Amino acid sequence: MTDLNALIAALPKAELHLHLEGSLEPEQLMHFAERNQVDIPFETLEDVKAAYNFSNLQDFLDIYYQGMSVLLTEADFHDLTDAYLQRCQADNVRHVEVFFDPQGHTERGLPFSTPINGILSALDAAERKYGITYKLIMCFLRHLSEADAFETLAQADPYLDRIHGVGLDSSELGHPPSKFAKVFATAREKGLKLVAHAGEEGPPEYVYEALDILQIDRIDHGNRLLEDDALIARVREADLTLTVCPLSNLSLCVVDDLKDHPMKKMLDLGLRATMNSDDPAYFGGYVNENYRQTAMAVNLTRDDIITLAKNSFTGSFLSTDDQAEHLKEIDKVAAAFV
Ligand code: ADE
Ligand code: ZN
């Protein structure tokens, strides 16, 4: 395992499923609350950490939306994003495709410009400071209406040259992809990439809807597509990437034990699965920690780990030339770990 951990650390990787608001560490939450004089229902760091104990997605989301209420200024979003990118540098993550939830902020009265300006300034600085490249994906909250999503898309209009795609997140059950058919069609017409959380808690039918109706370019999570053989074959034949998040799945009880996690099965089926942290401050680990714990739990091999690192680039929205550069680097590192 030590050798595998050294390989995990050394491999260049991309992260394709990360909610910036989910990288808000308990210490930062306390810090921003104090800096901005925001009341939070926690007295101590221990109180915050004790609240991070979830039995399903909704349980988590309630805390997640409460947590992000301490973010008020561009500087807060900049600092949050920069702290995440420092973790990326430490984990040798060379490219990120990060989500943010504008409606989580505009709903509580912030202008659209506050989160996006803070996030973009940190992402641009990281490209210079750490050499980490990025794409920014704006998610629509699926528990809100499609009209609200359209309003958010309109607010994003002045920034569309800086936003690479749209996604769909928040409470999955009861909010199928078809609810957002029109706004995804409009986003597609604007040239944006399309992704959606599907099959995290929702049934295979939601994955079908994401493919057939939203026509997404990438599936976030996708665990429950494994319940349907025809869907497995379709996703494999279409070379669709799955952004899988094992420690998230464990925290939100999508799996009861990491040993039951389907990551190995996905790879063995020939699906293009990738390893991601989702909301690392809430789920106990960033990218390398997801690799390490999953490798141990489901016996990933050296080749599985190399495949996952390669998938993170081939599944990214980077150009094929840029992907090729990273793949060459992976081969070089892998050669030192035979
Ligand atoms: N928002 C942040 N993390 C999420 C997840 N794992 N599923 C759905 N929405 C989310
Ligand atoms: Zn997610």
Side-chain angles (χ1 to χ4, degrees):
M1 190 45 71
T2 319
D3 277 357
L4 283 189
N5 286 349
L7 173 67
I8 290 164
L11 282 169
K13 294 164 291 281
E15 176 150 59
L16 307 181
H17 187 151
L18 178 284
H19 303 262
L20 284 169
E21 296 90 343
S23 71
L24 181 68
E25 291 287 338
E27 292 80 359
Q28 285 176 311
L29 187 146
M30 301 292 279
H31 168 71
F32 290 134
E34 194 177 321
R35 176 156 108 179
N36 294 327
Q37 300 290 294
V38 176
D39 265 340
I40 48 167
F42 310 112
E43 291 273 321
T44 66
L45 209 51
E46 282 60 45
D47 292 342
V48 183
K49 288 179 182 166
Y52 290 9
N53 184 12
F54 316 109
S55 50
N56 57 40
L57 174 58
Q58 192 58 51
D59 245 21
F60 155 69
L61 289 169
D62 294 342
I63 297 273
Y64 169 80
Y65 294 119
Q66 187 172 59
M68 68 174 76
S69 70
V70 302
L71 300 166
L72 291 188
T73 66
E74 284 187 23
D76 298 339
F77 287 94
H78 177 104
D79 294 350
L80 175 76
T81 306
D82 184 59
Y84 162 64
L85 291 160
Q86 286 180 38
R87 304 275 196 162
C88 288
Q89 196 198 23
D91 276 1
N92 207 11
V93 171
R94 309 309 307 151
H95 175 71
V96 296
E97 302 194 349
V98 289
F99 302 136
F100 78 119
D101 284 327
Q103 290 162 296
H105 314 299
T106 53
E107 276 240 303
R108 57 191 173 86
L110 298 192
F112 185 89
S113 58
T114 299
I116 195 164
N117 285 339
I119 289 168
L120 283 170
S121 73
L123 288 167
D124 287 334
E127 204 158 340
R128 296 190 298 269
K129 282 193 291 189
Y130 317 125
I132 298 172
T133 54
Y134 72 87
K135 308 277 181 198
L136 180 60
I137 299 171
M138 169 179 98
C139 288
F140 300 123
L141 299 183
R142 66 202 306 159
H143 67 273
L144 301 178
S145 69
E146 187 177 48
D148 287 342
F150 266 113
E151 196 180 323
T152 302
L153 190 56
Q155 290 166 344
D157 214 52
Y159 296 92
L160 284 190
D161 56 334
R162 320 269 340 254
I163 296 173
H164 300 90
V166 298
L168 188 62
D169 65 0
S170 192
S171 321
E172 187 178 13
L173 290 170
H175 302 284
S178 49
K179 181 177 162 186
F180 297 91
K182 294 193 193 75
V183 74
F184 267 65
T186 304
R188 187 179 330 111
E189 282 160 18
K190 290 178 183 289
L192 292 161
K193 292 286 185 188
L194 309 178
V195 302
H197 285 52
E200 181 184 18
E201 283 189 343
E205 289 69 33
Y206 282 25
V207 182
Y208 277 110
E209 283 194 7
L211 298 179
D212 291 331
I213 300 176
L214 303 189
Q215 298 181 34
I216 54 169
D217 298 294
R218 194 160 71 201
I219 301 170
D220 295 317
H221 294 293
N223 300 49
R224 290 196 60 192
L225 73 82
L226 295 175
E227 295 168 22
D228 183 319
D229 287 342
L231 188 52
I232 294 171
R234 177 168 170 191
V235 168
R236 181 174 48 217
E237 258 94 84
D239 265 342
L240 274 168
T241 298
L242 307 177
T243 65
V244 184
C245 309
L247 290 181
S248 162
N249 294 157
L250 181 63
S251 283
L252 303 186
C253 305
V254 169
V255 295
D256 293 333
D257 192 303
L258 209 52
K259 287 191 168 57
D260 303 328
H261 195 277
M263 181 63 99
K264 176 81 176 165
K265 182 174 178 193
M266 288 168 164
L267 293 173
D268 290 347
L269 284 166
L271 294 170
R272 194 197 275 152
T274 61
M275 185 78 84
N276 306 275
S277 69
D278 204 1
D279 302 282
Y282 293 90
F283 302 147
Y286 290 77
V287 168
N288 284 2
E289 190 62 16
N290 272 271
Y291 271 89
R292 286 190 291 263
Q293 290 199 33
T294 310
M296 187 125 79
V298 303
N299 296 316
L300 296 180
T301 64
R302 167 192 177 275
D303 288 353
D304 290 333
I305 288 164
I306 293 165
T307 298
L308 283 165
K310 288 190 171 179
N311 288 352
S312 73
F313 291 106
T314 53
S316 76
F317 296 136
L318 285 168
S319 71
T320 21
D321 282 356
D322 287 342
Q323 290 180 16
E325 287 298 310
H326 290 288
L327 297 179
K328 228 176 4 182
E329 201 55 40
I330 289 176
D331 282 334
K332 242 194 269 174
V333 171
F337 285 87
V338 276

PDB file of all heavy atoms in Angstrom, residues 17-19 57 60-61 64 99 139 168-170 197 200 220-221 243 245 248 252 277-279 283, ligand 2:
ATOM      1  N   HIS A  17     -14.975  16.965 -10.149  1.00  0.00           N
ATOM      2  CA  HIS A  17     -16.234  17.065  -9.375  1.00  0.00           C
ATOM      3  C   HIS A  17     -15.913  17.624  -7.999  1.00  0.00           C
ATOM      4  O   HIS A  17     -15.575  16.888  -7.077  1.00  0.00           O
ATOM      5  CB  HIS A  17     -16.893  15.686  -9.278  1.00  0.00           C
ATOM      6  CG  HIS A  17     -18.258  15.691  -8.651  1.00  0.00           C
ATOM      7  ND1 HIS A  17     -19.226  14.768  -8.964  1.00  0.00           N
ATOM      8  CD2 HIS A  17     -18.821  16.505  -7.705  1.00  0.00           C
ATOM      9  CE1 HIS A  17     -20.315  15.007  -8.251  1.00  0.00           C
ATOM     10  NE2 HIS A  17     -20.096  16.050  -7.464  1.00  0.00           N
ATOM     11  N   LEU A  18     -16.017  18.934  -7.903  1.00  0.00           N
ATOM     12  CA  LEU A  18     -15.680  19.629  -6.660  1.00  0.00           C
ATOM     13  C   LEU A  18     -16.567  20.857  -6.547  1.00  0.00           C
ATOM     14  O   LEU A  18     -16.579  21.691  -7.458  1.00  0.00           O
ATOM     15  CB  LEU A  18     -14.193  20.017  -6.683  1.00  0.00           C
ATOM     16  CG  LEU A  18     -13.585  20.810  -5.522  1.00  0.00           C
ATOM     17  CD1 LEU A  18     -13.938  22.285  -5.529  1.00  0.00           C
ATOM     18  CD2 LEU A  18     -13.868  20.188  -4.169  1.00  0.00           C
ATOM     19  N   HIS A  19     -17.333  20.920  -5.467  1.00  0.00           N
ATOM     20  CA  HIS A  19     -18.144  22.117  -5.193  1.00  0.00           C
ATOM     21  C   HIS A  19     -17.297  23.046  -4.335  1.00  0.00           C
ATOM     22  O   HIS A  19     -16.925  22.681  -3.206  1.00  0.00           O
ATOM     23  CB  HIS A  19     -19.425  21.739  -4.450  1.00  0.00           C
ATOM     24  CG  HIS A  19     -20.273  20.730  -5.166  1.00  0.00           C
ATOM     25  ND1 HIS A  19     -21.358  21.077  -5.931  1.00  0.00           N
ATOM     26  CD2 HIS A  19     -20.171  19.378  -5.253  1.00  0.00           C
ATOM     27  CE1 HIS A  19     -21.899  19.991  -6.452  1.00  0.00           C
ATOM     28  NE2 HIS A  19     -21.193  18.935  -6.054  1.00  0.00           N
ATOM     29  N   LEU A  57     -28.362  12.628   1.507  1.00  0.00           N
ATOM     30  CA  LEU A  57     -27.960  13.852   0.799  1.00  0.00           C
ATOM     31  C   LEU A  57     -28.628  15.087   1.398  1.00  0.00           C
ATOM     32  O   LEU A  57     -27.971  16.123   1.614  1.00  0.00           O
ATOM     33  CB  LEU A  57     -28.323  13.699  -0.700  1.00  0.00           C
ATOM     34  CG  LEU A  57     -28.117  14.922  -1.599  1.00  0.00           C
ATOM     35  CD1 LEU A  57     -26.665  15.400  -1.582  1.00  0.00           C
ATOM     36  CD2 LEU A  57     -28.548  14.596  -3.040  1.00  0.00           C
ATOM     37  N   PHE A  60     -27.094  16.482   4.556  1.00  0.00           N
ATOM     38  CA  PHE A  60     -25.871  17.219   4.245  1.00  0.00           C
ATOM     39  C   PHE A  60     -26.192  18.593   3.662  1.00  0.00           C
ATOM     40  O   PHE A  60     -25.629  19.610   4.075  1.00  0.00           O
ATOM     41  CB  PHE A  60     -24.992  16.418   3.273  1.00  0.00           C
ATOM     42  CG  PHE A  60     -24.062  17.278   2.461  1.00  0.00           C
ATOM     43  CD1 PHE A  60     -22.985  17.924   3.068  1.00  0.00           C
ATOM     44  CD2 PHE A  60     -24.274  17.473   1.107  1.00  0.00           C
ATOM     45  CE1 PHE A  60     -22.143  18.753   2.322  1.00  0.00           C
ATOM     46  CE2 PHE A  60     -23.434  18.292   0.366  1.00  0.00           C
ATOM     47  CZ  PHE A  60     -22.376  18.930   0.976  1.00  0.00           C
ATOM     48  N   LEU A  61     -27.125  18.630   2.708  1.00  0.00           N
ATOM     49  CA  LEU A  61     -27.407  19.890   2.021  1.00  0.00           C
ATOM     50  C   LEU A  61     -27.896  20.959   2.996  1.00  0.00           C
ATOM     51  O   LEU A  61     -27.558  22.135   2.858  1.00  0.00           O
ATOM     52  CB  LEU A  61     -28.437  19.667   0.898  1.00  0.00           C
ATOM     53  CG  LEU A  61     -27.916  18.876  -0.318  1.00  0.00           C
ATOM     54  CD1 LEU A  61     -29.081  18.469  -1.232  1.00  0.00           C
ATOM     55  CD2 LEU A  61     -26.872  19.671  -1.110  1.00  0.00           C
ATOM     56  N   TYR A  64     -24.839  22.309   4.458  1.00  0.00           N
ATOM     57  CA  TYR A  64     -24.033  22.923   3.392  1.00  0.00           C
ATOM     58  C   TYR A  64     -24.548  24.333   3.073  1.00  0.00           C
ATOM     59  O   TYR A  64     -23.772  25.285   2.967  1.00  0.00           O
ATOM     60  CB  TYR A  64     -24.111  21.976   2.196  1.00  0.00           C
ATOM     61  CG  TYR A  64     -23.602  22.418   0.847  1.00  0.00           C
ATOM     62  CD1 TYR A  64     -22.237  22.396   0.553  1.00  0.00           C
ATOM     63  CD2 TYR A  64     -24.498  22.770  -0.169  1.00  0.00           C
ATOM     64  CE1 TYR A  64     -21.786  22.740  -0.723  1.00  0.00           C
ATOM     65  CE2 TYR A  64     -24.054  23.099  -1.430  1.00  0.00           C
ATOM     66  CZ  TYR A  64     -22.696  23.090  -1.703  1.00  0.00           C
ATOM     67  OH  TYR A  64     -22.256  23.411  -2.958  1.00  0.00           O
ATOM     68  N   PHE A  99     -17.210  23.375  -9.572  1.00  0.00           N
ATOM     69  CA  PHE A  99     -18.594  23.851  -9.526  1.00  0.00           C
ATOM     70  C   PHE A  99     -18.719  24.999  -8.539  1.00  0.00           C
ATOM     71  O   PHE A  99     -18.038  25.021  -7.513  1.00  0.00           O
ATOM     72  CB  PHE A  99     -19.531  22.764  -8.987  1.00  0.00           C
ATOM     73  CG  PHE A  99     -19.562  21.477  -9.738  1.00  0.00           C
ATOM     74  CD1 PHE A  99     -19.533  20.268  -9.052  1.00  0.00           C
ATOM     75  CD2 PHE A  99     -19.665  21.443 -11.120  1.00  0.00           C
ATOM     76  CE1 PHE A  99     -19.592  19.060  -9.720  1.00  0.00           C
ATOM     77  CE2 PHE A  99     -19.733  20.232 -11.801  1.00  0.00           C
ATOM     78  CZ  PHE A  99     -19.696  19.040 -11.096  1.00  0.00           C
ATOM     79  N   CYS A 139     -23.557  25.629 -11.427  1.00  0.00           N
ATOM     80  CA  CYS A 139     -24.645  24.650 -11.223  1.00  0.00           C
ATOM     81  C   CYS A 139     -25.980  25.334 -10.935  1.00  0.00           C
ATOM     82  O   CYS A 139     -26.029  26.354 -10.248  1.00  0.00           O
ATOM     83  CB  CYS A 139     -24.310  23.717 -10.069  1.00  0.00           C
ATOM     84  SG  CYS A 139     -23.023  22.532 -10.457  1.00  0.00           S
ATOM     85  N   LEU A 168     -26.044  20.514 -12.692  1.00  0.00           N
ATOM     86  CA  LEU A 168     -27.303  20.401 -11.953  1.00  0.00           C
ATOM     87  C   LEU A 168     -27.002  19.665 -10.657  1.00  0.00           C
ATOM     88  O   LEU A 168     -26.500  18.533 -10.697  1.00  0.00           O
ATOM     89  CB  LEU A 168     -28.299  19.602 -12.811  1.00  0.00           C
ATOM     90  CG  LEU A 168     -29.736  19.506 -12.332  1.00  0.00           C
ATOM     91  CD1 LEU A 168     -30.392  20.886 -12.279  1.00  0.00           C
ATOM     92  CD2 LEU A 168     -30.536  18.587 -13.262  1.00  0.00           C
ATOM     93  N   ASP A 169     -27.284  20.329  -9.522  1.00  0.00           N
ATOM     94  CA  ASP A 169     -26.983  19.670  -8.238  1.00  0.00           C
ATOM     95  C   ASP A 169     -28.084  19.952  -7.230  1.00  0.00           C
ATOM     96  O   ASP A 169     -29.153  20.411  -7.597  1.00  0.00           O
ATOM     97  CB  ASP A 169     -25.581  20.086  -7.735  1.00  0.00           C
ATOM     98  CG  ASP A 169     -25.491  21.562  -7.387  1.00  0.00           C
ATOM     99  OD1 ASP A 169     -26.482  22.288  -7.526  1.00  0.00           O
ATOM    100  OD2 ASP A 169     -24.388  21.997  -6.977  1.00  0.00           O
ATOM    101  N   SER A 170     -27.820  19.644  -5.967  1.00  0.00           N
ATOM    102  CA  SER A 170     -28.783  19.729  -4.860  1.00  0.00           C
ATOM    103  C   SER A 170     -29.701  18.490  -4.833  1.00  0.00           C
ATOM    104  O   SER A 170     -29.356  17.467  -5.428  1.00  0.00           O
ATOM    105  CB  SER A 170     -29.566  21.040  -4.912  1.00  0.00           C
ATOM    106  OG  SER A 170     -30.273  21.225  -3.701  1.00  0.00           O
ATOM    107  N   HIS A 197     -25.587  16.041 -11.934  1.00  0.00           N
ATOM    108  CA  HIS A 197     -25.605  14.977 -10.939  1.00  0.00           C
ATOM    109  C   HIS A 197     -26.763  14.047 -11.308  1.00  0.00           C
ATOM    110  O   HIS A 197     -27.897  14.508 -11.484  1.00  0.00           O
ATOM    111  CB  HIS A 197     -25.852  15.541  -9.543  1.00  0.00           C
ATOM    112  CG  HIS A 197     -24.676  16.241  -8.925  1.00  0.00           C
ATOM    113  ND1 HIS A 197     -23.979  17.237  -9.554  1.00  0.00           N
ATOM    114  CD2 HIS A 197     -24.064  16.069  -7.714  1.00  0.00           C
ATOM    115  CE1 HIS A 197     -23.000  17.646  -8.755  1.00  0.00           C
ATOM    116  NE2 HIS A 197     -23.025  16.955  -7.634  1.00  0.00           N
ATOM    117  N   GLU A 200     -26.991   9.545  -8.116  1.00  0.00           N
ATOM    118  CA  GLU A 200     -26.342   9.569  -6.800  1.00  0.00           C
ATOM    119  C   GLU A 200     -27.315   8.911  -5.817  1.00  0.00           C
ATOM    120  O   GLU A 200     -27.012   7.880  -5.228  1.00  0.00           O
ATOM    121  CB  GLU A 200     -26.019  11.014  -6.382  1.00  0.00           C
ATOM    122  CG  GLU A 200     -25.325  11.132  -5.033  1.00  0.00           C
ATOM    123  CD  GLU A 200     -25.108  12.598  -4.595  1.00  0.00           C
ATOM    124  OE1 GLU A 200     -25.782  13.495  -5.148  1.00  0.00           O
ATOM    125  OE2 GLU A 200     -24.270  12.816  -3.696  1.00  0.00           O
ATOM    126  N   ASP A 220     -22.233  13.267 -13.336  1.00  0.00           N
ATOM    127  CA  ASP A 220     -21.690  13.409 -11.990  1.00  0.00           C
ATOM    128  C   ASP A 220     -22.287  12.327 -11.082  1.00  0.00           C
ATOM    129  O   ASP A 220     -23.510  12.189 -11.003  1.00  0.00           O
ATOM    130  CB  ASP A 220     -21.968  14.825 -11.468  1.00  0.00           C
ATOM    131  CG  ASP A 220     -21.222  15.860 -12.305  1.00  0.00           C
ATOM    132  OD1 ASP A 220     -20.029  15.591 -12.619  1.00  0.00           O
ATOM    133  OD2 ASP A 220     -21.803  16.897 -12.684  1.00  0.00           O
ATOM    134  N   HIS A 221     -21.413  11.570 -10.468  1.00  0.00           N
ATOM    135  CA  HIS A 221     -21.739  10.360  -9.673  1.00  0.00           C
ATOM    136  C   HIS A 221     -22.077   9.196 -10.616  1.00  0.00           C
ATOM    137  O   HIS A 221     -21.186   8.539 -11.087  1.00  0.00           O
ATOM    138  CB  HIS A 221     -22.864  10.597  -8.655  1.00  0.00           C
ATOM    139  CG  HIS A 221     -22.482  11.558  -7.569  1.00  0.00           C
ATOM    140  ND1 HIS A 221     -21.516  11.264  -6.621  1.00  0.00           N
ATOM    141  CD2 HIS A 221     -22.925  12.811  -7.280  1.00  0.00           C
ATOM    142  CE1 HIS A 221     -21.391  12.299  -5.789  1.00  0.00           C
ATOM    143  NE2 HIS A 221     -22.227  13.258  -6.180  1.00  0.00           N
ATOM    144  N   THR A 243     -17.967  11.152 -12.917  1.00  0.00           N
ATOM    145  CA  THR A 243     -17.172  11.789 -11.862  1.00  0.00           C
ATOM    146  C   THR A 243     -17.617  11.199 -10.520  1.00  0.00           C
ATOM    147  O   THR A 243     -18.608  11.612  -9.935  1.00  0.00           O
ATOM    148  CB  THR A 243     -17.336  13.316 -11.877  1.00  0.00           C
ATOM    149  OG1 THR A 243     -18.672  13.657 -11.551  1.00  0.00           O
ATOM    150  CG2 THR A 243     -16.961  13.905 -13.243  1.00  0.00           C
ATOM    151  N   CYS A 245     -17.291   9.889  -6.532  1.00  0.00           N
ATOM    152  CA  CYS A 245     -16.829  10.537  -5.294  1.00  0.00           C
ATOM    153  C   CYS A 245     -16.988   9.580  -4.114  1.00  0.00           C
ATOM    154  O   CYS A 245     -17.981   9.673  -3.358  1.00  0.00           O
ATOM    155  CB  CYS A 245     -17.640  11.808  -5.056  1.00  0.00           C
ATOM    156  SG  CYS A 245     -17.714  12.917  -6.478  1.00  0.00           S
ATOM    157  N   SER A 248     -17.570  10.887  -0.419  1.00  0.00           N
ATOM    158  CA  SER A 248     -18.896  11.497  -0.385  1.00  0.00           C
ATOM    159  C   SER A 248     -19.956  10.405  -0.290  1.00  0.00           C
ATOM    160  O   SER A 248     -20.864  10.471   0.542  1.00  0.00           O
ATOM    161  CB  SER A 248     -19.109  12.330  -1.660  1.00  0.00           C
ATOM    162  OG  SER A 248     -20.469  12.598  -1.880  1.00  0.00           O
ATOM    163  N   LEU A 252     -22.609  10.116   2.774  1.00  0.00           N
ATOM    164  CA  LEU A 252     -24.041  10.330   2.539  1.00  0.00           C
ATOM    165  C   LEU A 252     -24.814   9.015   2.468  1.00  0.00           C
ATOM    166  O   LEU A 252     -25.981   8.993   2.058  1.00  0.00           O
ATOM    167  CB  LEU A 252     -24.245  11.150   1.258  1.00  0.00           C
ATOM    168  CG  LEU A 252     -23.542  12.514   1.250  1.00  0.00           C
ATOM    169  CD1 LEU A 252     -23.922  13.317   0.022  1.00  0.00           C
ATOM    170  CD2 LEU A 252     -23.872  13.312   2.514  1.00  0.00           C
ATOM    171  N   SER A 277     -13.491  14.499  -5.062  1.00  0.00           N
ATOM    172  CA  SER A 277     -13.747  14.678  -3.622  1.00  0.00           C
ATOM    173  C   SER A 277     -15.108  15.303  -3.302  1.00  0.00           C
ATOM    174  O   SER A 277     -15.515  15.301  -2.141  1.00  0.00           O
ATOM    175  CB  SER A 277     -12.626  15.501  -2.993  1.00  0.00           C
ATOM    176  OG  SER A 277     -12.654  16.838  -3.434  1.00  0.00           O
ATOM    177  N   ASP A 278     -15.804  15.897  -4.293  1.00  0.00           N
ATOM    178  CA  ASP A 278     -17.168  16.431  -4.121  1.00  0.00           C
ATOM    179  C   ASP A 278     -17.201  17.626  -3.151  1.00  0.00           C
ATOM    180  O   ASP A 278     -17.192  18.773  -3.596  1.00  0.00           O
ATOM    181  CB  ASP A 278     -18.113  15.307  -3.659  1.00  0.00           C
ATOM    182  CG  ASP A 278     -19.570  15.566  -3.989  1.00  0.00           C
ATOM    183  OD1 ASP A 278     -19.871  16.603  -4.601  1.00  0.00           O
ATOM    184  OD2 ASP A 278     -20.420  14.714  -3.644  1.00  0.00           O
ATOM    185  N   ASP A 279     -17.262  17.339  -1.858  1.00  0.00           N
ATOM    186  CA  ASP A 279     -17.296  18.397  -0.832  1.00  0.00           C
ATOM    187  C   ASP A 279     -16.300  18.022   0.266  1.00  0.00           C
ATOM    188  O   ASP A 279     -16.696  17.595   1.364  1.00  0.00           O
ATOM    189  CB  ASP A 279     -18.713  18.517  -0.243  1.00  0.00           C
ATOM    190  CG  ASP A 279     -19.749  18.813  -1.302  1.00  0.00           C
ATOM    191  OD1 ASP A 279     -19.840  19.974  -1.736  1.00  0.00           O
ATOM    192  OD2 ASP A 279     -20.440  17.866  -1.724  1.00  0.00           O
ATOM    193  N   PHE A 283     -16.625  15.751   3.857  1.00  0.00           N
ATOM    194  CA  PHE A 283     -16.610  14.300   3.679  1.00  0.00           C
ATOM    195  C   PHE A 283     -15.276  13.657   4.052  1.00  0.00           C
ATOM    196  O   PHE A 283     -15.079  12.466   3.827  1.00  0.00           O
ATOM    197  CB  PHE A 283     -16.987  13.929   2.234  1.00  0.00           C
ATOM    198  CG  PHE A 283     -18.345  14.444   1.801  1.00  0.00           C
ATOM    199  CD1 PHE A 283     -18.583  14.816   0.485  1.00  0.00           C
ATOM    200  CD2 PHE A 283     -19.387  14.563   2.718  1.00  0.00           C
ATOM    201  CE1 PHE A 283     -19.826  15.289   0.078  1.00  0.00           C
ATOM    202  CE2 PHE A 283     -20.640  15.041   2.334  1.00  0.00           C
ATOM    203  CZ  PHE A 283     -20.858  15.404   1.002  1.00  0.00           C
TER     204      PHE A 283
HETATM  205 ZN    ZN B   2     -21.454  16.905  -6.198  1.00  0.00          ZN
END
